[in-house]
């Protein structure tokens, strides 16, 4: 096969992969044992939102019109936006026991329940929101109420390459010099970025699902300026 033909086949393959990654389906067409679920209860800024996503063999699933619903502590989660993967969310209070009970309801079967709780709360104590840091220097991060597990540390900005680490939850972590990188066109620019810390706690999942996760998360973040 000629090189030009190989390139065309490669491009076509990429297009097919992209279509498959962006494809959607309907839960009504899938048995419960074939559905994969991702459940999260996320506390940030004093409130908690519950989030659910449903999948089947790489397809993001929409809750169909056959009686399929997802509730958390009796609150119905609703679809938000149209971005894939399709997501269902609502603000939810914990039970008296501090739990978030995800209930997937189907006509004639279920409910299928998964449960999680929130980990201990914490707050970033340094750096302060509004601080500036050169990308050539280290960034020392501290937080209170460490629990000895791990802390997810993310630096997020449209003009920065992804920074995502999971250090031990000791209350302190240092981002090494030159670890935060820009795209080539932005190397000399000041960039507004978010430092996001997340603590997670795993829960229990209904064994009926093909695959499932159910986690509680506490998030704190500050904004800073990333300079050359």
């Amino acid at each position: 096969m000629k090189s030009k033909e190989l390139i065309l086949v490669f491009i076509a393959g990429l297009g097919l992969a992209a279509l498959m990654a962006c494809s959607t389906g309907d839960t009504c067409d899938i048995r419960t044992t074939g559905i994969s679920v991702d459940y999260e209860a996320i506390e940030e800024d004093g409130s908690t939102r519950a989030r659910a996503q449903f999948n089947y063999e790489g397809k993001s699933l929409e809750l169909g019109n056959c009686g399929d619903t997802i509730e958390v502590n009796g609150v119905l989660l609703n679809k938000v936006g149209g971005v894939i993967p399709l997501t269902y969310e609502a603000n939810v209070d914990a039970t008296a026991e501090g739990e978030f009970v995800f209930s997937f309801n189907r006509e004639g079967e279920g409910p299928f329940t998964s449960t999680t709780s929130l980990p201990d709360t914490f707050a970033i104590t340094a750096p302060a929101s509004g601080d500036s840091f050169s990308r050539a220097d280290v960034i020392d991060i501290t937080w209170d109420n460490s629990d000895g597990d791990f802390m997810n540390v993310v630096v997020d900005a449209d003009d920065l390459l992804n920074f995502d680490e999971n250090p031990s939850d000791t209350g302190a972590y240092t981002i090494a010099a030159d670890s935060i990188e820009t795209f080539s066109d932005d190397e000399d620019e000041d960039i507004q970025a978010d430092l996001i810390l997340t603590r997670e706690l795993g829960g229990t999942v209904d064994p009926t699902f093909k695959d499932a996760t159910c986690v509680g998360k506490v998030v704190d973040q500050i904004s800073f300026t990333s300079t050359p």
Side-chain angles (χ1 to χ4, degrees):
M1 186 178 290
K2 297 179 180 180
S3 59
K4 184 177 181 180
E5 293 173 326
L6 285 171
I7 292 172
L8 290 173
V9 170
F10 177 71
I11 293 173
L14 287 178
L16 178 60
L19 286 172
M20 292 178 64
C22 294
S23 61
T24 61
D26 191 312
T27 57
C28 297
D29 300 327
I30 311 298
R31 294 180 183 272
T32 308
T33 53
I35 294 175
S36 299
V37 300
D38 292 301
Y39 294 149
E40 295 178 321
I42 307 168
E43 181 184 89
E44 186 173 13
D45 296 330
S47 65
T48 304
R49 69 184 185 276
R51 174 183 294 167
Q53 295 177 344
F54 301 87
N55 301 277
Y56 173 73
E57 295 186 353
K59 291 183 178 181
S60 182
L61 297 180
E62 182 172 12
L63 297 180
N65 295 319
C66 58
D68 287 354
T69 63
I70 179 65
E71 297 180 353
V72 177
N73 297 349
V75 177
L76 186 68
L77 305 193
N78 296 304
K79 187 172 69 172
V80 292
V83 178
I84 297 174
L86 301 173
T87 302
Y88 291 79
E89 287 189 2
N91 288 336
V92 179
D93 294 326
T95 65
E97 295 76 25
E99 294 182 333
F100 295 86
V101 182
F102 290 76
S103 179
F104 180 48
N105 307 300
R106 317 196 83 176
E107 287 188 359
E109 58 175 318
F112 304 95
T113 59
S114 303
T115 304
T116 192
S117 301
L118 295 176
D120 292 338
T121 59
F122 69 95
I124 298 172
T125 53
S129 191
D131 283 353
S132 296
F133 298 95
S134 168
R135 291 183 283 276
D137 296 333
V138 302
I139 302 178
D140 292 319
I141 306 168
T142 59
W143 59 92
D144 62 11
N145 201 26
S146 60
D147 74 352
D149 201 346
F150 76 91
M151 181 69 74
N152 179 238
V153 178
V154 169
V155 175
D156 181 58
D158 290 341
D159 299 321
L160 294 177
L161 298 176
N162 183 55
F163 180 91
D164 189 334
E165 296 290 336
N166 294 288
S168 297
D169 190 353
T170 61
Y173 176 67
T174 298
I175 296 178
D178 299 316
S179 293
I180 298 176
E181 300 178 278
T182 69
F183 293 102
S184 58
D185 293 340
D186 301 306
E187 292 176 347
D188 298 324
E189 300 294 326
D190 291 352
I191 296 172
Q192 297 303 307
D194 294 318
L195 171 66
I196 307 167
L197 270 60
T198 304
R199 177 180 287 163
E200 295 187 11
L201 180 66
T204 60
V205 296
D206 193 298
T208 308
F209 294 116
K210 179 180 180 181
D211 187 27
T213 59
C214 186
V215 298
K217 298 182 177 182
V218 173
V219 179
D220 193 27
Q221 65 178 300
I222 60 100
S223 297
F224 71 99
T225 302
S226 177
T227 64

